[in-house]
Amino acid sequence: MFANELLAGLLGMMTQTDETGPTLKRLRLERNLTLRELAGLAFCNHSYLSNVEAGRRWPKDRGWGERIGRLLDDGGQLVDAWDADQREPARHNDTLRALADARQDSEALLLDPDAADLDTIQDDVIAISTRARHESYDETLRHALSLRAELMRRVKLGAYRPEEIRDLYVALGRVCGILSYLTLDLGQADMAKVHARAAFALGDRANHDHLRAWARGTQALALRFTKDFEEAAAAALDGLRYVTTSTGTADRACCAVSPRRMRTSAIRCGQWNRLRRQTGRAQRRTR
């Protein structure tokens, strides 16, 4: 039933009727009146009446239809036509609202476990990190929080297949990493550290070296902002343990990590000698 009403509304938008003009013209001709004669009786301009009859103008005042109708002794035909035309814009607006609601429903379905698989959500995570360079913080934050809410819901409710749990942790960890960067850019370093720790913990659950290395690098960056240099160096050094041949090559838009980046983090914290040995071991593992 709703679909039929929506279709009728769409057809109405494409073929909107004008009953007032044709009704006025029919009534005038039935009474053998010219436009000028009717305009003289109604104390209005004849060109205005011509435009109404042609559908180029539409009287906004219902009283106009009542007054002209009385002059033509039409038994309420003209005002009935005016009322019918008034209902059409209202129907048009109702149709537009229905379309807007349908769009919102479709957007919500994209986050439904039966509608969007984890591969699609992973792509959305990467898209968020890519768009972050061009859109405002509040837009990126809104997108990231929306995705994280859906991922958290799936984890809490068990709305996933057994083989998807690792990908679920990775997607959630990446979103936490993005939130860490966003909050850090907004000057909320303590909040950024929490998100970075969460990203690492999720990488640990998934046994995902790429995510663990990226999370440690992000954590080191946040720790430098709060001048916790020893902890920042330790996080950067620990991240090198997870640098593998795949780290820094896949999903660059979201979680690029390299020994050079980790090295920079620790150098700034005065841990160069220890880091040099750790970096050498990590680079040998990538060959």
Side-chain angles (χ1 to χ4, degrees):
M1 182 67 179
F2 173 77
N4 291 335
E5 291 175 356
L6 184 59
L7 179 59
L10 286 170
L11 292 175
M13 289 164 60
M14 293 185 289
T15 59
Q16 185 168 341
T17 59
D18 173 22
E19 296 189 25
T20 303
T23 300
L24 174 63
K25 185 174 183 178
R26 176 178 58 79
L27 292 169
R28 178 179 63 79
L29 293 176
E30 286 175 354
R31 286 148 182 79
N32 297 315
L33 292 172
T34 66
L35 283 169
R36 290 184 182 277
E37 288 172 338
L38 180 57
L41 293 172
F43 299 102
C44 65
N45 192 297
H46 75 279
S47 62
Y48 174 76
L49 292 179
S50 175
N51 284 328
V52 170
E53 289 187 355
R56 293 187 294 267
R57 298 289 297 274
W58 189 75
K60 297 180 180 179
D61 181 11
R62 190 176 189 273
W64 180 93
E66 294 175 339
R67 181 165 57 85
I68 301 298
R70 283 195 298 269
L71 288 173
L72 296 171
D73 192 22
D74 69 344
Q77 294 181 60
L78 189 59
V79 77
D80 286 345
W82 188 93
D83 288 341
D85 287 340
Q86 181 69 14
R87 286 192 294 270
E88 193 60 34
R91 186 183 179 195
H92 172 88
N93 291 332
D94 288 342
T95 300
L96 290 180
R97 281 193 292 271
L99 289 173
D101 291 343
R103 175 183 173 178
Q104 290 179 353
D105 290 342
S106 293
E107 289 174 342
L109 282 174
L110 293 175
L111 294 179
D112 187 275
D114 296 327
D117 58 26
L118 275 175
D119 287 339
T120 301
I121 291 181
Q122 295 274 23
D123 291 341
D124 288 343
V125 174
I126 295 173
I128 286 174
S129 64
T130 303
R131 289 199 306 264
R133 305 167 190 168
H134 311 291
E135 66 183 8
S136 62
Y137 280 113
D138 57 339
E139 279 294 302
T140 304
L141 191 59
R142 182 175 65 82
H143 292 147
L145 290 174
S146 177
L147 269 181
R148 190 183 69 163
E150 170 57 20
L151 291 166
M152 289 289 293
R153 186 189 67 80
R154 293 189 186 196
V155 169
K156 291 178 178 179
L157 298 181
Y160 55 84
R161 293 184 290 272
E163 66 273 15
E164 290 180 332
I165 186 61
R166 183 174 186 268
D167 290 338
L168 194 59
Y169 285 149
V170 171
L172 189 53
R174 286 171 172 167
V175 174
C176 287
I178 291 170
L179 288 172
S180 182
Y181 273 104
L182 286 173
T183 50
L184 191 60
D185 284 346
L186 293 171
Q188 304 295 320
D190 288 333
M191 197 177 296
K193 288 189 288 187
V194 173
H195 290 308
R197 288 200 304 271
F200 180 82
L202 289 160
D204 235 9
R205 291 185 192 181
N207 193 28
H208 195 280
D209 285 343
H210 190 172
L211 180 55
R212 283 188 287 209
W214 181 54
R216 282 297 192 231
T218 305
Q219 192 175 3
L221 184 63
L223 287 163
R224 285 209 312 270
F225 269 76
T226 56
K227 301 187 185 304
D228 297 312
F229 298 117
E230 290 295 324
E231 292 182 54
L237 289 166
D238 186 60
L240 282 169
R241 297 194 298 122
Y242 306 105
V243 176
T244 65
T245 53
S246 65
T247 307
T249 57
D251 301 333
R252 282 188 180 274
C254 193
C255 329
V257 179
S258 67
R260 180 179 179 183
R261 175 182 169 185
M262 307 298 284
R263 181 170 63 243
T264 301
S265 293
I267 288 173
R268 290 177 179 174
C269 301
Q271 299 289 329
W272 164 243
N273 289 330
R274 182 184 171 195
L275 176 69
R276 185 168 52 185
R277 294 192 298 272
Q278 194 93 356
T279 302
R281 288 195 294 271
Q283 289 176 329
R284 282 194 293 274
R285 289 202 302 274
T286 65
R287 292 171 184 163

